[in-house]
Amino acid sequence: MRSEPMGELVLGIESSCDETAAAVVRDGRGILASVVDSQIAEHAPFGGVVPEIAGRSHLRSILPVIDSALAQARCGLDDIRAIAVTTKPGLIGSLLVGLSVARALAFARGLPLIPVDHIEAHVYAATMECPRSPYPCAALVVSGGHTTLYKALSPLAIERISTTLDDAAGEAFDKVAFLLGLPYPGGPSVSKLALEGDPKRIAFPRYRPRPGPGETAPRFPPFSFSGLKTAVLYHLRGQDAAAPTPPPEAIADRAHVAASFQEAVVDALVEPTIRAARELGLATVLVGGGVACNRRLREKLQQAASDVGINCVFPSPAYCTDNAAMIAGLGYQRWKAGLVAGLDVDASSSCG
Ligand code: KG4
Ligand code: ZN
């Protein structure tokens, strides 16, 4: 269907959570099409993602989304050389929708099927718009389900060095938004309200693990956000655990809470990330995942990085949140490394 030379095109399919997405990417970097059908409106009334609704919605959207990605890339399935699909981690019923379609396409067209880890793809997203190779680097993935720091030597040589003990940063934004009566997803709504508040007004805690007597501190301490979330809850309703959370209209300092909470999350991400990069002698930090859209995080991490001569790379917002371009991109690299799966490849809800 295309007449100009087009390199090797990979079709990427993503359905791990609440976005149905498909993309066509040339040679692992050139994004010819990236289509994302968000289910936010369907989940918003519940204040979070409802797995049953997500699975059904993916089922309705997946084929039209793939068709529109192919149309946008001005190509057909005949032009596609491999199918990349998210197989983990995520909601199992949602992952299986994308994987079933990918398997069927690979079988019908005799194409290689490439399984891709969603979190590793968030790291790869930040490299797709980089003019030069950012490797080796530290990589921070901050999303609704994950807050994880990696040491990345190449797209395929990536080692997890620390993660959260409890909530993910995005999840904390979503839960605090709920307490403040703000719409789902919480990140964009909390950060918008935070613009009207004072980030220093309320001293919310920043998690710092303290080793017990005789224990040594881990080289890369974990993140934690559940204490911060609880501190916001206590701030809103007082120390009486039996007291109800006040209705949003009764919270006089809502904007200050939003700003001070956001500042605490950002500080809890920035300091350990820069420290890990320095400790490992890495000159670049990549950031990915939905929370990487956050303007305050971008400002403070860029500043802290440049203060110590580290280069900091954020994808553009469309490639921070869930998308299939990152799946097709990393899928291409995996395909070239021979990491092709059989048609019996399974999905997994967990990272392992
Ligand atoms: O990467 P993503 O699209 O999906 C997952 O893999 O989880 O991330 C979604 C998360 C949500 O928790 C959302 O509240 C958060 O990213 N988020 C933000 C912002 N935009 C999205 N968090 C803080 N500030 C933002 N501007
Ligand atoms: Zn994600």
XYZ file of all heavy atoms in Angstrom, residues 233-278:
343
model
N -4.669 11.866 54.649
C -5.961 11.490 55.245
C -6.103 12.084 56.646
O -7.125 12.699 56.983
C -6.070 9.962 55.287
C -7.335 9.398 55.891
C -8.541 9.730 55.016
C -7.235 7.883 56.062
N -5.056 11.939 57.504
C -5.104 12.478 58.865
C -5.190 14.001 58.844
O -5.873 14.601 59.670
C -3.884 12.024 59.675
C -4.002 10.594 60.171
C -2.865 9.834 60.433
C -5.243 10.013 60.380
C -2.972 8.523 60.887
C -5.343 8.703 60.822
C -4.210 7.963 61.077
O -4.323 6.674 61.514
N -4.512 14.617 57.903
C -4.584 16.075 57.809
C -6.035 16.507 57.545
O -6.514 17.495 58.109
C -3.667 16.595 56.692
C -3.796 18.064 56.473
N -3.124 18.994 57.247
C -4.556 18.789 55.601
C -3.468 20.213 56.862
N -4.328 20.118 55.867
N -6.731 15.730 56.711
C -8.084 16.124 56.330
C -9.121 15.850 57.417
O -10.052 16.616 57.610
C -8.509 15.405 55.034
C -7.684 15.758 53.790
C -8.136 14.932 52.593
C -7.786 17.247 53.463
N -8.955 14.742 58.132
C -10.030 14.403 59.077
C -9.581 14.442 60.528
O -10.371 14.109 61.422
C -10.631 13.039 58.734
C -9.709 11.905 59.033
C -10.425 10.601 59.215
N -9.455 9.666 59.740
C -9.371 8.403 59.384
N -10.196 7.904 58.509
N -8.469 7.621 59.921
N -8.308 14.790 60.810
C -7.806 14.784 62.178
C -7.363 13.388 62.573
O -7.447 12.448 61.782
N -6.899 13.248 63.817
C -6.285 11.990 64.259
C -7.306 10.911 64.622
O -6.944 9.760 64.812
C -5.380 12.247 65.478
C -4.186 13.142 65.184
C -3.211 12.512 64.191
O -2.958 11.318 64.239
N -2.687 13.312 63.276
N -8.570 11.273 64.733
C -9.587 10.301 65.145
C -9.930 9.380 63.969
O -10.595 9.789 63.002
C -10.845 11.071 65.601
C -11.957 10.114 65.995
O -11.742 8.876 65.927
O -13.053 10.606 66.343
N -9.464 8.124 64.069
C -9.639 7.187 62.957
C -11.113 6.923 62.664
O -11.471 6.515 61.559
C -8.922 5.878 63.271
N -11.981 7.170 63.672
C -13.412 6.893 63.456
C -14.117 8.073 62.790
O -15.252 7.948 62.316
C -14.072 6.595 64.797
N -13.449 9.217 62.744
C -14.099 10.411 62.166
C -14.232 10.250 60.655
O -13.363 9.666 60.006
C -13.268 11.661 62.469
N -15.318 10.756 60.087
C -15.472 10.643 58.623
C -14.544 11.627 57.906
O -14.171 12.653 58.465
C -16.937 11.034 58.392
C -17.299 11.880 59.568
C -16.437 11.451 60.723
N -14.179 11.286 56.663
C -13.395 12.221 55.854
C -14.337 13.359 55.445
O -15.458 13.091 55.009
C -12.878 11.500 54.587
O -12.274 10.285 55.003
C -11.855 12.337 53.850
N -13.916 14.603 55.606
C -14.834 15.693 55.288
C -15.173 15.760 53.796
O -14.349 15.361 52.965
C -14.050 16.946 55.697
C -12.627 16.531 55.729
C -12.597 15.074 56.032
N -16.360 16.240 53.463
C -16.682 16.389 52.044
C -15.765 17.450 51.423
O -15.329 18.370 52.120
C -18.140 16.866 52.056
C -18.373 17.406 53.425
C -17.426 16.713 54.348
N -15.461 17.325 50.126
C -14.483 18.201 49.478
C -14.765 19.687 49.691
O -13.847 20.466 49.921
C -14.601 17.848 47.987
C -15.259 16.522 47.944
C -15.992 16.310 49.224
N -16.059 20.064 49.683
C -16.374 21.499 49.799
C -16.040 22.045 51.195
O -15.899 23.248 51.393
C -17.820 21.814 49.399
C -18.917 21.100 50.171
C -19.146 19.633 49.748
O -18.401 19.095 48.908
O -20.075 19.009 50.305
N -15.866 21.101 52.167
C -15.536 21.545 53.529
C -14.026 21.626 53.760
O -13.578 21.994 54.838
C -16.165 20.585 54.541
N -13.232 21.264 52.758
C -11.772 21.308 52.938
C -11.286 22.690 52.497
O -11.211 22.984 51.303
C -11.064 20.206 52.106
C -11.653 18.821 52.427
C -9.563 20.218 52.359
C -11.190 17.710 51.513
N -10.970 23.527 53.504
C -10.644 24.927 53.196
C -9.312 25.051 52.460
O -9.147 25.922 51.622
C -10.606 25.728 54.494
N -8.352 24.153 52.797
C -7.010 24.316 52.212
C -6.723 23.286 51.117
O -5.611 22.812 50.973
C -5.959 24.227 53.316
C -6.010 22.888 54.064
O -6.964 22.107 53.832
O -5.098 22.616 54.855
N -7.751 22.967 50.320
C -7.619 21.917 49.286
C -6.412 22.140 48.360
O -5.666 21.229 48.053
C -8.893 21.886 48.440
C -9.612 20.562 48.549
C -11.023 20.613 48.031
N -11.207 21.253 46.749
C -11.718 20.654 45.668
N -12.052 19.393 45.706
N -11.919 21.326 44.572
N -6.245 23.370 47.904
C -5.166 23.653 46.949
C -3.792 23.503 47.630
O -2.836 23.017 47.022
C -5.313 25.054 46.361
N -3.730 23.904 48.917
C -2.454 23.749 49.644
C -2.150 22.262 49.866
O -0.995 21.841 49.800
C -2.495 24.478 50.988
C -2.681 25.962 50.854
N -1.979 26.712 49.939
C -3.494 26.831 51.503
C -2.348 27.986 50.036
N -3.280 28.077 50.976
N -3.196 21.481 50.156
C -3.000 20.034 50.323
C -2.467 19.450 49.017
O -1.488 18.693 48.999
C -4.316 19.319 50.737
C -4.131 17.798 50.749
C -4.803 19.807 52.100
N -3.110 19.833 47.906
C -2.683 19.302 46.598
C -1.224 19.677 46.324
O -0.413 18.828 45.924
C -3.595 19.834 45.492
N -0.884 20.935 46.542
C 0.477 21.401 46.233
C 1.510 20.757 47.162
O 2.583 20.333 46.718
C 0.545 22.921 46.349
N 1.179 20.677 48.455
C 2.141 20.124 49.425
C 2.301 18.616 49.224
O 3.401 18.075 49.374
C 1.693 20.420 50.858
O 1.551 21.807 51.041
N 1.201 17.938 48.885
C 1.276 16.495 48.600
C 2.137 16.262 47.354
O 3.042 15.420 47.349
C -0.137 15.931 48.397
C -0.168 14.632 47.656
C 0.182 13.438 48.300
C -0.505 14.585 46.302
C 0.190 12.236 47.604
C -0.494 13.389 45.608
C -0.152 12.210 46.255
N 1.850 17.012 46.298
C 2.613 16.843 45.052
C 4.111 17.058 45.303
O 4.951 16.305 44.820
C 2.108 17.826 44.001
C 2.942 17.830 42.730
C 2.369 18.752 41.681
O 1.667 18.314 40.783
N 2.644 20.033 41.795
N 4.412 18.090 46.101
C 5.821 18.392 46.401
C 6.486 17.211 47.124
O 7.631 16.878 46.846
C 5.879 19.655 47.274
C 7.203 20.363 47.254
C 7.514 21.051 45.927
O 6.644 21.044 45.012
O 8.626 21.584 45.795
N 5.735 16.603 48.043
C 6.293 15.465 48.795
C 6.550 14.277 47.862
O 7.579 13.602 47.970
C 5.341 15.070 49.925
N 5.618 14.010 46.931
C 5.826 12.898 45.989
C 7.056 13.194 45.132
O 7.934 12.336 44.949
C 4.592 12.694 45.062
C 4.892 11.638 44.007
C 3.363 12.303 45.866
N 7.121 14.414 44.621
C 8.227 14.772 43.730
C 9.566 14.650 44.463
O 10.515 14.044 43.959
C 8.002 16.192 43.156
C 9.249 16.725 42.477
C 6.818 16.170 42.182
N 9.642 15.184 45.690
C 10.889 15.082 46.457
C 11.271 13.619 46.697
O 12.444 13.254 46.626
C 10.757 15.789 47.818
C 10.705 17.305 47.657
O 11.026 17.802 46.555
O 10.332 17.992 48.629
N 10.249 12.798 46.994
C 10.525 11.380 47.286
C 11.016 10.642 46.038
O 11.614 9.568 46.152
C 9.272 10.706 47.836
N 10.753 11.186 44.848
C 11.233 10.555 43.611
C 12.596 11.102 43.185
O 13.469 10.361 42.725
C 10.229 10.796 42.468
C 8.866 10.113 42.619
C 7.891 10.610 41.551
C 9.016 8.586 42.512
N 12.762 12.418 43.344
C 13.947 13.075 42.777
C 15.233 12.660 43.493
O 16.204 12.243 42.855
C 13.778 14.620 42.825
C 15.089 15.329 42.507
C 12.676 15.051 41.858
N 15.206 12.753 44.811
C 16.455 12.563 45.570
C 17.038 11.158 45.358
O 18.208 11.031 44.966
C 16.177 12.878 47.049
C 17.399 13.255 47.843
C 17.970 12.055 48.566
O 17.228 11.087 48.841
O 19.177 12.081 48.838
N 16.252 10.083 45.531
C 16.839 8.744 45.343
C 17.272 8.472 43.898
O 18.216 7.722 43.667
C 15.701 7.788 45.731
C 14.688 8.603 46.439
C 14.853 10.018 45.992
N 16.575 9.089 42.948
C 16.921 8.844 41.533
C 18.286 9.454 41.210
O 19.150 8.806 40.609
C 15.833 9.437 40.613
O 14.595 8.825 40.970
C 16.125 9.186 39.149
N 18.469 10.694 41.632
C 19.752 11.356 41.359
C 20.873 10.650 42.133
O 21.964 10.418 41.612
C 19.679 12.863 41.749
C 18.625 13.572 40.892
C 21.041 13.537 41.627
C 18.908 13.582 39.395
N 20.558 10.271 43.366
C 21.585 9.588 44.175
C 22.009 8.270 43.507
O 23.196 7.954 43.430
C 21.052 9.340 45.593
C 22.100 8.847 46.542
C 21.928 9.362 47.965
N 20.549 9.391 48.414
C 19.936 8.384 49.038
N 20.570 7.264 49.259
N 18.687 8.515 49.433
N 21.020 7.509 43.000
C 21.352 6.224 42.360
C 22.190 6.444 41.104
O 23.165 5.723 40.867
C 20.063 5.474 42.012
N 21.836 7.452 40.303
C 22.606 7.711 39.074
C 24.050 8.057 39.424
O 24.988 7.565 38.800
C 21.950 8.840 38.275
N 24.234 8.868 40.470
C 25.603 9.269 40.854
C 26.375 8.073 41.399
O 27.523 7.847 41.060
C 25.554 10.375 41.908
C 24.902 11.637 41.366
C 25.017 12.760 42.341
N 26.339 13.353 42.294
C 26.791 14.262 43.150
N 26.021 14.659 44.139
N 27.993 14.761 43.032
